[in-house]
Amino acid sequence: MSSPRSARLIAVATVMTSLAVSAPYDTATAASADATVTARDSTTATAWTGELGKEPTSLTELRREAQKAYKSIEDANRALVARQKKFGAVEKELVAKLESLQQATAELNKMRKPLSDLASSLYQDPSVDGLSPFFRVGNGTDTLRRIADLDHLVAGRNNVLGDAIKLLERQQQLAQEAQELRAASLLQEAQLSAQVTALRKRSSTLVRSLTRALIKLGVKIGDGTQGAGGCDPTRITQAEQYPNGLLPKNILCPLPQDGETLRADAAIAFADLNIAYKKRFGTSICISDSYRSLSEQQSVYYRRPGFAATPGKSNHGLGLAVDLCGGVQNFRSAQFNWLEANGKRFGWFHPAWAYSSPFEPWHWEYDPKLGSLL
C-alpha cells in the first residue's frame, strides 16, 4: 500500500504527464469558434440585397429598383472598404495575441522543466540519490525532518503546478481569440464581397430589362443593350458632374420623339408618363424641345428674350426639362389639365413661375427628389 508521500509524488507526475501532452487549441474548440462567428454574422448576409421577390411592373419601378440596387452597391462597397481598413487594426490585435500566445507557451515550458526534474529525481535509483536519503538508518527526528522537507518541497512545486495550469488555460484562450478574430474577418469580408457581386448582377439585370422596355416603346437606343448607356439610371451621378449644357451624348437618353433627349431618370419617367398619356388621349406626348446644350441655350436666349433662362442656368441644360406641344401648350386645355393632375405621379410638374412669369404652359420639369419617392 502506497504511503501519503508516494501519493503526492504520483500526483505530481500524473499532472506533469497531462501537461506534456496537452494541445494548446484543439479542433473541437476551433469548430466551436467558427460556429459562433457564423451565427453572429449570418444576419448581415442580406443587409443590402433588399426584397427581390416582387419584380418591377413599370418603367418607373424598374428605374427605381435599378437605382436602389446601384446605391446598395455603393453602400456595400463603402462597408467593404471600411471593413478592409478595420481588418488592418484586427491584424495588429491578432499579431499581439499570437505574440502573447508564444510568450505564454515559453513560460509554460519553463515551468514544466523543474516539475519534470522533480519527478525524475524522486523516482530515480535509490542507490544513487533520489529517495535514498529519506530512508537511511538514523535518528527518527532526522527522518521526520527529511519527510517534512519533502512535504514542503512538494507543496511548493504544487503551487508552481497550479500556476502552470492557469497559464495553459490562458494559452488556450489566446489561441481561441486569435482563431475567432481571423475567422470573423475572413467571413465578413467574404460576405460583403458576395453581396456586392449579387447586387451588381441584380442592377445589370434591371438595366437590361429597362432597356428592352424602352426599345419596345420606340426609344431608339440601339439593338439590345448596345448604345444604351445614356438610359442607364445608375449613371445619374456621372451626369451631375457635368456643367449645365455640357452633358455628353453618352450621358443622355433618347425620348420616343426623334432628336429629343433627357437625363436617364427624367427620360425613363417621361416614357412612363407617356404610356399613361397615350391611354388617355390615344397619342404620344408631343415634344418641341428637351435637352439644350450651352450653345442652344444662348441661341434661344437671344431669339426669345424674356422667355428663356440665362445660358448655363436652364433646367433644359441639365436634361430635366421639356417644352410640350400637341395641346399641352394651351393653358387649361384637356391635355394641360390632365398632365397637371397626373404628372407628379411620374415626377413631372409644371413649375410655379411658368404659370405667370414668364407664362409658359408648355414648359414642364422633372424633379429627381419627387421621382425618388415614386
Side-chain angles (χ1 to χ4, degrees):
M1 182 175 182
S2 62
S3 67
R5 292 195 306 274
S6 299
R8 290 193 189 97
L9 298 177
I10 292 171
V12 172
T14 301
V15 176
M16 271 301 305
T17 303
S18 66
L19 282 173
V21 299
S22 293
Y25 187 52
D26 58 18
T27 55
T29 306
S32 176
D34 288 340
T36 301
V37 173
T38 302
R40 182 180 62 215
D41 295 324
S42 61
T43 55
T44 65
T46 56
W48 291 283
T49 53
E51 295 181 5
L52 304 182
K54 182 181 178 182
E55 289 300 318
T57 57
S58 68
L59 291 175
T60 298
E61 288 183 3
L62 277 168
R63 186 263 306 163
R64 179 189 60 199
E65 290 299 317
Q67 288 178 294
K68 186 189 297 184
Y70 186 76
K71 183 180 182 303
S72 296
I73 292 173
E74 293 179 326
D75 292 342
N77 274 325
R78 280 193 293 268
L80 183 57
V81 171
R83 177 61 200 157
Q84 289 170 342
K85 289 181 179 179
K86 186 178 179 181
F87 185 71
V90 171
E91 280 290 293
K92 291 181 180 179
E93 184 180 355
L94 178 60
V95 169
K97 286 188 179 294
L98 291 175
E99 288 177 352
S100 298
L101 175 61
Q102 186 177 9
Q103 182 179 356
T105 301
E107 292 177 3
L108 181 60
N109 290 334
K110 288 180 181 179
M111 288 185 174
R112 281 173 172 166
K113 189 175 187 308
L115 290 172
S116 178
D117 291 344
L118 172 63
S120 177
S121 65
L122 292 177
Y123 280 99
Q124 62 185 326
D125 188 351
S127 64
V128 181
D129 285 309
L131 297 175
S132 57
F134 298 98
F135 298 100
R136 290 172 182 165
V137 178
N139 192 308
T141 301
D142 292 338
T143 301
L144 290 174
R145 185 180 294 113
R146 292 189 183 98
I147 293 173
D149 290 342
L150 177 61
D151 287 341
H152 179 72
L153 180 61
V154 172
R157 288 297 186 259
N158 280 342
N159 289 335
V160 176
L161 179 63
D163 292 340
I165 293 174
K166 291 179 181 178
L167 191 56
L168 178 62
E169 292 174 349
R170 175 59 177 159
Q171 181 194 42
Q172 292 176 331
Q173 180 183 352
L174 287 169
Q176 180 174 348
E177 290 175 356
Q179 177 75 7
E180 287 181 348
L181 279 172
R182 181 180 284 111
S185 295
L186 294 176
L187 178 61
Q188 290 176 13
E189 189 165 352
Q191 287 176 336
L192 287 171
S193 296
Q195 287 165 12
V196 171
T197 300
L199 286 165
R200 287 188 186 282
K201 183 177 180 181
R202 171 67 172 170
S203 179
S204 297
T205 299
L206 288 166
V207 170
R208 285 196 297 270
S209 298
L210 185 57
T211 301
R212 288 193 294 268
L214 289 171
I215 291 173
K216 287 181 179 179
L217 292 173
V219 177
K220 298 179 180 180
I221 55 178
D223 184 18
T225 58
Q226 298 299 318
C231 295
D232 183 349
T234 66
R235 300 179 63 192
I236 292 171
T237 53
Q238 296 180 36
E240 292 173 343
Q241 296 173 6
Y242 291 95
N244 188 303
L246 296 177
L247 275 64
K249 291 183 178 180
N250 63 357
I251 291 294
L252 295 168
C253 180
L255 295 174
Q257 189 165 315
D258 288 345
E260 305 298 339
T261 59
L262 289 174
R263 204 176 80 172
D265 52 345
I268 294 166
F270 189 86
D272 217 8
L273 171 64
N274 188 55
I275 293 173
Y277 183 92
K278 195 170 184 179
K279 287 181 179 178
R280 171 63 179 81
F281 295 103
T283 184
S284 295
I285 303 175
C286 176
I287 308 169
S288 59
D289 202 3
S290 51
Y291 170 73
R292 288 178 190 162
S293 66
L294 189 59
S295 60
E296 289 172 336
Q297 291 180 53
Q298 292 171 340
S299 175
V300 173
Y301 182 76
Y302 291 113
R303 285 189 291 106
R304 301 176 59 195
F307 282 90
T310 303
K313 301 292 184 180
S314 172
N315 268 8
H316 283 282
L318 299 176
L320 299 175
V322 291
D323 289 344
L324 303 179
C325 45
V328 179
Q329 78 279 11
N330 298 319
F331 187 63
R332 289 307 167 203
S333 65
Q335 292 87 345
F336 180 96
N337 290 339
W338 183 92
L339 204 58
E340 184 183 52
N342 295 276
K344 288 183 178 180
R345 292 195 294 113
F346 302 90
W348 285 91
F349 70 102
H350 189 57
W353 60 262
Y355 282 91
S356 57
S357 181
F359 180 60
E360 295 186 13
W362 55 82
H363 182 88
W364 295 77
E365 296 181 356
Y366 177 75
D367 182 357
K369 292 182 179 179
L370 181 62
S372 67
L373 300 176
L374 300 177

